[in-house]
Amino acid sequence: MELQEKLHNKGLRLTYPRREVVAILNAAASPLTPQSIYQRSVERKSDIGLVSVYRTLELLSELDLVRRVHGHDGCHGYVLASPGHHHHLVCRKCGKAVEFSGSADLSDFIAKIQKETSYKIDEHILQLYGICPKCQKERH
Amino acid sequence: MELQEKLHNKGLRLTYPRREVVAILNAAASPLTPQSIYQRSVERKSDIGLVSVYRTLELLSELDLVRRVHGHDGCHGYVLASPGHHHHLVCRKCGKAVEFSGSADLSDFIAKIQKETSYKIDEHILQLYGICPKCQKERH
DNA sequence: TTCCTTATTGAAAATTATTTTCAATAAGGA
DNA sequence: TCCTTATTGAAAATAATTTTCAATAAGGAA
Ligand SMILES: [Mn+2]
Ligand SMILES: [Mn+2]
Ligand SMILES: [Zn+2]
Ligand SMILES: [Zn+2]
């Protein structure tokens, strides 16, 4: 479902700051923190406030239009969520993230853990880290 | 390898604050943030500073004696790392976390993604969320 | 044990990140 | 075009994290 539509369903408005945050995330290759989103909005000379970045990310999270991606060291950033369930593979050098799917491959495994632990499992995070093709080529 | 030993290898010292942080993590059922570790140290009346909690967690991370666990919403906390590679299953109600292993079950899947993306994958996070047996029983 | 050396500590200050408040603004239906 | 009210952003308030630095205490050497 589209941003426009989801907002409308809830009586919310499609505003300039919201468009901007989405546009910035859309143009990004790697997960962005609220701060870095704000930075980019300054560079773009779109005059949106940092507060709106925070508020918009919270909203987009609720609408499931944005996803949190955890850095293998520090903390998380946000990426635009393409429809459906996905996971992320992040380059440890340049941060470039790509999506992949494949919950199917996990479901047996998860079912096994569920049986073993008696937890009722309903959600998961799977994130892979490595070096992207481009960074593999560069010396150092 | 033991904390004592790992510290010694690096010319570092086994101090009271470090012992305390480990003891607190050891007694915890769920991932703790620096702040909550500090809280508990106050309750225990061990007089360690918040700064030392931060520093100790950083150190223990380097020594791989502590692991970061990401909440499915907010951010991460720390748990003591038992030796070997492990994952965590966290209760969304009470926060209780249990470990499970099983990288073997993932390796084929990861190899597939590696081939598809041309990333060189060398690390991963897998975290499961659900409701623990105890919380399943409670009404509400 | 006692004596050094130096890693470590913690209080305080500095920085950074996040949330709250609130009057002014603008989205968008009527 | 005109309302209603969701939304914005500046500023202030809070919270989280990092840096500084003089005082302290591990723990090896004597
Ligand atoms: Mn995190
Ligand atoms: Mn999945
Ligand atoms: Zn890269
Ligand atoms: Zn529980």
Side-chain angles (χ1 to χ4, degrees), chain B residues 50-90:
Chain B
L50 177 56
V51 200
S52 292
V53 173
Y54 277 100
R55 286 189 287 223
T56 298
L57 288 174
E58 195 184 341
L59 176 64
L60 293 176
S61 289
E62 281 166 18
L63 300 182
D64 208 45
L65 289 169
V66 112
R67 209 147 285 165
R68 228 185 285 272
V69 173
H70 298 275
H72 85 303
D73 50 322
C75 208
H76 52 259
Y78 296 82
V79 296
L80 227 47
S82 39
H85 185 81
H86 284 285
H87 302 131
H88 288 89
L89 165 54
V90 186

Side-chain angles (χ1 to χ4, degrees), chain A residues 85-87 101-103 106 110 124-126:
Chain A
H85 184 81
H86 284 285
H87 303 131
S101 52
S103 284
L106 283 178
I110 291 180
H124 66 267
I125 289 179
L126 172 63

Side-chain angles (χ1 to χ4, degrees), chain A residues 68-71 73-76, chain B residues 68-71 74-76:
Chain A
R68 227 184 286 271
V69 173
H70 299 275
D73 49 324
C75 206
H76 53 259
Chain B
R68 228 185 285 272
V69 173
H70 298 275
C75 208
H76 52 259

Side-chain angles (χ1 to χ4, degrees), chain A residues 18-136:
Chain A
R18 286 170 184 170
R19 277 181 225 266
E20 277 296 301
V21 170
V22 170
I24 288 169
L25 286 173
N26 193 237
S30 54
L32 302 180
T33 61
Q35 306 289 336
S36 62
I37 291 171
Y38 178 70
Q39 287 312 322
R40 296 192 185 199
S41 93
V42 170
E43 290 163 14
R44 275 163 161 265
K45 300 206 235 324
S46 51
D47 254 326
I48 69 178
L50 177 56
V51 200
S52 291
V53 174
Y54 277 100
R55 285 188 287 222
T56 299
L57 288 174
E58 194 184 341
L59 176 64
L60 292 176
S61 289
E62 281 166 17
L63 300 181
D64 206 44
L65 289 169
V66 113
R67 210 147 285 167
R68 227 184 286 271
V69 173
H70 299 275
H72 84 303
D73 49 324
C75 206
H76 53 259
Y78 295 82
V79 296
L80 228 48
S82 38
H85 184 81
H86 284 285
H87 303 131
H88 288 88
L89 166 54
V90 186
C91 177
R92 286 194 290 98
K93 270 203 169 173
C94 69
K96 183 171 166 48
V98 298
E99 274 187 338
F100 63 92
S101 52
S103 284
D105 307 71
L106 283 178
S107 55
D108 283 354
F109 178 51
I110 291 180
K112 198 183 82 186
I113 306 293
Q114 178 160 292
K115 184 160 291 178
E116 285 175 17
T117 59
S118 300
Y119 272 59
K120 184 107 187 47
I121 301 175
D122 52 21
E123 206 179 320
H124 66 267
I125 289 179
L126 172 63
Q127 277 175 214
L128 307 183
Y129 303 95
I131 309 291
C132 76
K134 194 175 167 197
C135 288
Q136 282 173 47

